[in-house]
């Protein structure tokens, strides 16, 4: 493991930032009495804290230099409290970087990579370079946590962070948008998930996860979730449906929804038919479902349906608001009176059924 440019103290991180902190905050004639008072109070607290650190044996030349730097910045700033807030933020960042550095080193060792930390402002995100013949993670010294996050995912399951084996699948989930193209880690390798996490998700495998041989054999687009090798499998290609959590049976008072118990109230999915395209061509549709009912729409028809739905949603909003206002006067009936009414109705029906006119 090659670790370079990592021996930085908190003060060394802050000292190069002194010009930036002081820029535009130099003490001037327009500085108000409140700023003067804030500066005096903060400097007094800094001096007291520094004296207490020296008294308990924590003093050092580096701490003295750091203390002098902060005092000078506060003394020269138009907004001393803003300077202290920024310094506190820098110290928190430094503590986080210090905590993550051992983890970053461990991850680099796992992958056989060297590590180089730098203060070069040109370096934005962590990247891998070849330095002295060795692949090296180059990252900013003040962004160690970011570098750890990027390195940690390499060779690990995106979901559970467990190390991957040869059975891992592409991160191309069935419920991703059709425009999804997959992702890559900082090494340029495809991000993957383990088989266990795929199984736990309950989502079907996409053609991209089944692999290029599958896609070539069945002519599948990457997003197709149909298992064409299954008995009586569909000959078309279907995307994972977008659907409501609300089930159709929750709304259908006719009882007809029982024919498709568990179906969503609304669903929509892209379907492509390209079996023997030389003979029958290729056709893309949107299958729009409403419980047990299904509409097979062309993209033009689906767009028209979408416009109608948008208009209806606006109208439905007004209907719901009106119902909410009117419903404020609703009330529950008396169960005892309701029971007596049902019994009376039953007696009336029995009288009708037993009458000579009904028997005839």
């Amino acid at each position: 493991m090659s670790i370079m440019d990592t021996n930085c103290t908190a003060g060394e991180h802050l000292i190069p930032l002194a010009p930036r902190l002081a820029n535009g905050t130099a003490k001037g004639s327009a500085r108000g009495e409140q700023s003067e008072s804030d500066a005096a109070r903060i400097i007094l607290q800094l001096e007291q804290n520094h004296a207490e650190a020296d008294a308990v044996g924590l003093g050092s030349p580096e701490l003295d230099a750091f203390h002098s730097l902060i005092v000078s910045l506060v003394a020269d700033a138009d907004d001393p409290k803003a300077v202290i807030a920024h310094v506190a933020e820098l110290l928190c960042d430094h503590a986080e970087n210090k905590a993550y550095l051992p983890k970053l080193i461990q991850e680099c060792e796992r992958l056989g990579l060297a590590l180089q930390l730098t203060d070069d402002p040109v370096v934005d995100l962590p990247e891998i370079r070849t330095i002295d013949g060795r692949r090296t993670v180059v990252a900013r010294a003040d962004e160690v946590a970011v570098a750890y996050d990027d390195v940690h995912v390499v060779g690990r399951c995106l979901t559970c962070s467990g190390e991957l084996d040869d059975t891992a699948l592409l991160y191309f989930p069935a419920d991703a948008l059709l425009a999804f193209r997959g992702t890559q880690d900082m090494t340029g390798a495809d991000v993957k998930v383990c088989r266990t996490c795929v199984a736990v998700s309950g989502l079907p495998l996409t053609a991209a996860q089944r692999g290029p041989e599958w896609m070539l054999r069945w002519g599948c687009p990457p997003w197709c979730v149909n298992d064409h090798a299954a008995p009586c499998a569909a000959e078309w290609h279907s995307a994972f449906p977008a659907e409501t959590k609300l089930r159709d049976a929750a709304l259908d008072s006719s009882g007809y929804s029982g024919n498709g118990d568990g179906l969503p109230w609304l669903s929509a999915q892209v379907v492509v038919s390209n079996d023997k395209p030389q003979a029958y061509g290729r056709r893309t549709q949107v299958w729009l479902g409403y419980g047990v009912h299904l509409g097979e729409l062309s993209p033009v028809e689906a767009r028209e349906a979408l416009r109608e739905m948008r208009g209806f949603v606006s109208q439905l909003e007004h209907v719901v608001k009106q119902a909410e206002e009117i419903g404020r006067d609703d009330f529950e009936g008396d169960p005892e009176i309701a029971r007596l009414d049902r019994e009376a109705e039953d007696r009336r029906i029995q009288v009708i059924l037993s009458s000579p006119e009904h028997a005839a």
Side-chain angles (χ1 to χ4, degrees):
M1 170 59 59
S2 173
I3 306 296
M4 296 167 276
D5 298 334
T6 61
N7 297 319
C8 300
T9 66
E12 288 172 329
H13 273 302
L14 290 169
I15 289 173
L17 296 175
R20 188 178 71 182
L21 279 168
N23 186 29
T25 63
K27 183 177 178 180
S29 57
R31 177 160 143 157
E33 293 182 1
Q34 184 61 51
S35 294
E36 295 283 0
S37 175
D38 289 340
R41 175 175 51 82
I42 292 171
I43 290 174
L44 177 60
Q45 292 175 344
L46 290 171
E47 296 288 0
Q48 290 174 342
N49 292 338
H50 187 56
E52 292 174 0
D54 285 339
V56 296
L58 298 178
S60 68
E62 291 80 9
L63 182 60
D64 292 342
F66 179 65
H67 168 75
S68 297
L69 168 65
I70 302 304
V71 169
S72 64
L73 292 174
V74 170
D76 292 338
D78 282 339
D79 189 349
K81 291 192 291 186
V83 170
I84 288 298
H86 188 58
V87 169
E89 181 181 357
L90 290 174
L91 289 174
C92 288
D93 290 343
H94 175 75
E96 182 182 42
N97 288 330
K98 187 175 181 180
Y100 271 95
L101 182 56
K103 300 179 182 180
L104 176 58
I105 294 173
Q106 185 177 16
E107 288 300 307
C108 288
E109 289 176 341
R110 175 177 66 90
L111 299 170
L113 301 171
L115 172 63
Q116 178 173 323
L117 301 182
T118 178
D119 291 323
D120 187 350
V122 175
V123 176
D124 185 14
L125 297 176
E127 59 185 63
I128 294 179
R129 302 177 186 172
T130 300
I131 300 177
D132 296 331
R134 188 172 182 188
R135 298 180 73 208
T136 303
V137 175
V138 179
R140 289 177 51 135
D142 58 349
E143 296 287 351
V144 173
V146 174
Y148 168 77
D149 288 340
D150 287 351
V151 176
H152 179 71
V153 299
V154 176
R156 295 184 183 275
C157 173
L158 183 67
T159 302
C160 69
S161 294
E163 292 198 42
L164 298 170
D165 56 25
D166 293 338
T167 67
L169 297 171
L170 285 176
Y171 177 66
F172 202 110
D175 58 354
L177 296 176
L178 295 189
F180 183 75
R181 292 291 183 269
T183 55
Q184 296 181 325
D185 60 32
M186 67 184 304
T187 69
D190 292 323
V191 173
K192 296 184 177 182
V193 292
C194 66
R195 286 270 181 176
T196 300
C197 287
V198 173
V200 169
S201 73
L203 296 172
L205 294 181
T206 58
Q209 290 176 321
R210 294 180 185 274
E213 292 183 4
W214 175 276
M215 294 173 64
L216 181 62
R217 177 181 179 184
W218 301 105
C220 275
W223 42 263
C224 179
V225 295
N226 288 348
D227 183 0
H228 300 287
C232 303
E235 296 179 349
W236 58 83
H237 308 289
S238 175
F240 191 72
E243 60 182 41
T244 60
K245 292 182 179 179
L246 185 62
R247 302 290 94 179
D248 188 47
L251 298 178
D252 187 0
S253 59
S254 70
Y256 185 63
S257 62
N259 294 329
D261 188 36
L263 289 175
W265 173 44
L266 296 174
S267 67
Q269 64 194 107
V270 175
V271 174
V272 174
S273 300
N274 66 349
D275 185 44
K276 302 181 182 67
Q278 295 83 356
Y280 303 105
R282 182 181 186 273
R283 183 175 60 174
T284 300
Q285 294 180 312
V286 174
W287 286 10
L288 188 62
Y290 166 50
V292 296
H293 306 285
L294 182 67
E296 301 178 16
L297 311 178
S298 69
V300 173
E301 292 170 333
R303 177 63 64 180
E304 178 62 26
L306 177 60
R307 282 194 289 267
E308 289 290 329
M309 289 175 68
R310 284 173 174 160
F312 179 73
V313 166
S314 177
Q315 296 173 5
L316 179 60
E317 176 70 23
H318 292 291
V319 171
V320 171
K321 286 182 178 179
Q322 187 177 33
E324 289 172 339
E325 293 175 1
I326 297 173
R328 295 193 185 103
D329 295 329
D330 290 354
F331 59 89
E332 297 293 333
D334 189 318
E336 181 61 19
I337 296 176
R339 182 184 64 80
L340 295 173
D341 179 70
R342 287 193 299 270
E343 292 176 354
E345 181 66 13
D346 290 340
R347 288 194 298 269
R348 186 181 71 82
I349 293 174
Q350 289 300 322
V351 168
I352 295 173
L353 292 177
S354 60
S355 67
E357 292 82 359
H358 185 272

